[in-house]
Amino acid sequence: MKNFFLIICFSFIAFIVTLLLLLGTIGYETEKFNTLISKEIKKNYPSSQVEIKKVKIKIDFKKINLFLSTSSPSIIYSGVDLPISDLKIYFNLISFLKANPEIEKIIFSIEEFEISKIQKLIVGVKPSNFKSFILNNLSKGSVNGQINLEFGENLKIINYKAKGILKKTHIIFSNKYQISDTSFNFIVDPDLVLINSIKSNFLEIPIKKGSITVKREGEIKISGSIYTTLSSDKEKIQKILKKF
């Protein structure tokens, strides 16, 4: 009887360990959480339409939380189809076990997202300098990358980080200066904006490469460098200089 009890206990412990290892490495794929994810998104963004296929459950042992991931979900917000290739939603593990899940973080990857669709998406956003710049100073091109959002109570965003690539975009300043065919890599968080691998064309000046760093440390500090090759044609150079 004693040996039987030990075998039962050992088998139960082995099952739990195996399950945790499975959730911590490969994960477990299911369709049972599709409704949960759709419900959470719809609750906070009523104008969205969500369709999710299979969801994989995994545990992040380092941060002691559980996350659900899915690939190529169909999410339409304000009439715009969001080209999300990968979506991960992190929950507080204790709250999840209590059947009252609290979202701590969302990470999603975006495939080629046209600037025109981004402009349509932010029309309903509160007025800001950022919104004004996107609507009035950008045209053409696309962006792709990954966005990391961290949440506090009532899904209030308390931190963020974005990284990606901007491709073939036109930027207009003061309706006078146009920077055409602009491409670069970027990293953005509340304290830093880092732009590198810049390629563009400004007033017929071909920009081959460059980088710009913007630091927010009480005051905004901007530094950077840009490399170009100018023609030896004096008339062309004088024509360019007259535009400044």
Side-chain angles (χ1 to χ4, degrees):
M1 186 69 180
K2 182 179 179 180
N3 290 338
F4 177 76
F5 179 75
L6 290 174
I7 291 173
I8 294 297
C9 289
F10 178 78
S11 300
F12 179 74
I13 293 172
F15 172 76
I16 295 298
V17 171
T18 302
L19 179 61
L20 290 175
L21 288 174
L22 177 66
L23 292 177
T25 53
I26 301 174
Y28 175 70
E29 195 170 68
T30 178
E31 296 181 0
K32 293 182 179 180
F33 292 96
N34 298 15
T35 303
L36 174 63
I37 295 178
S38 300
K39 182 180 178 181
E40 287 296 318
I41 295 175
K42 288 282 291 182
K43 181 174 70 175
N44 296 281
Y45 304 98
S47 60
S48 62
Q49 300 175 31
V50 183
E51 183 180 340
I52 293 174
K53 299 176 182 178
K54 290 186 178 181
V55 173
K56 182 171 285 189
I57 309 171
K58 296 187 74 173
I59 292 178
D60 187 335
F61 290 108
K62 291 182 179 179
K63 298 183 179 180
I64 314 178
N65 57 18
L66 176 145
F67 69 91
L68 309 179
S69 65
T70 185
S71 299
S72 303
S74 174
I75 301 178
I76 299 175
Y77 182 71
S78 295
V80 178
D81 189 357
L82 305 182
I84 296 176
S85 59
D86 181 69
L87 172 66
K88 294 179 181 177
I89 302 179
Y90 289 75
F91 294 89
N92 177 282
L93 185 57
I94 295 176
S95 71
F96 196 88
L97 294 175
K98 291 181 178 180
N100 185 28
E102 296 177 4
I103 296 178
E104 290 188 336
K105 181 168 60 176
I106 292 178
I107 300 176
F108 57 95
S109 299
I110 298 178
E111 295 180 339
E112 300 297 326
F113 200 5
E114 296 175 9
I115 296 298
S116 58
K117 291 185 177 180
I118 295 176
Q119 291 171 325
K120 182 179 178 181
L121 189 66
I122 67 171
V123 167
V125 175
K126 292 181 180 179
S128 66
N129 291 335
F130 176 74
K131 174 185 175 180
S132 177
F133 180 81
I134 296 294
L135 292 176
N136 302 317
N137 300 83
L138 296 185
S139 64
K140 296 185 178 181
S142 64
V143 64
N144 65 61
Q146 185 182 85
I147 299 176
N148 184 331
L149 303 175
E150 295 183 19
F151 300 92
E153 294 182 359
N154 300 319
L155 278 182
K156 181 180 180 181
I157 297 176
I158 58 175
N159 198 10
Y160 66 88
K161 184 174 183 178
K163 61 180 180 180
I165 302 173
L166 182 74
K167 297 180 180 180
K168 298 292 183 179
T169 299
H170 292 350
I171 306 174
I172 301 173
F173 290 100
S174 303
N175 295 319
K176 182 178 181 181
Y177 300 113
Q178 177 170 302
I179 306 176
S180 59
D181 293 327
T182 303
S183 300
F184 55 75
N185 302 331
F186 64 87
I187 296 176
V188 180
D189 65 32
D191 303 315
L192 175 71
V193 176
L194 177 61
I195 298 172
N196 56 38
S197 301
I198 299 173
K199 291 184 179 180
S200 187
N201 190 300
F202 175 58
L203 298 179
E204 298 182 42
I205 302 174
I207 298 173
K208 302 295 185 179
K209 62 179 180 178
S211 64
I212 299 174
T213 300
V214 181
K215 294 182 178 179
R216 303 185 183 101
E217 301 172 342
E219 58 181 6
I220 297 177
K221 297 181 180 180
I222 302 175
S223 61
S225 59
I226 291 176
Y227 299 87
T228 184
T229 302
L230 290 177
S231 167
S232 59
D233 188 332
K234 291 184 179 180
E235 291 185 4
K236 187 173 182 179
I237 294 176
Q238 289 176 346
K239 182 181 178 181
I240 292 172
L241 291 176
K242 287 180 181 179
K243 293 183 180 181
F244 286 92

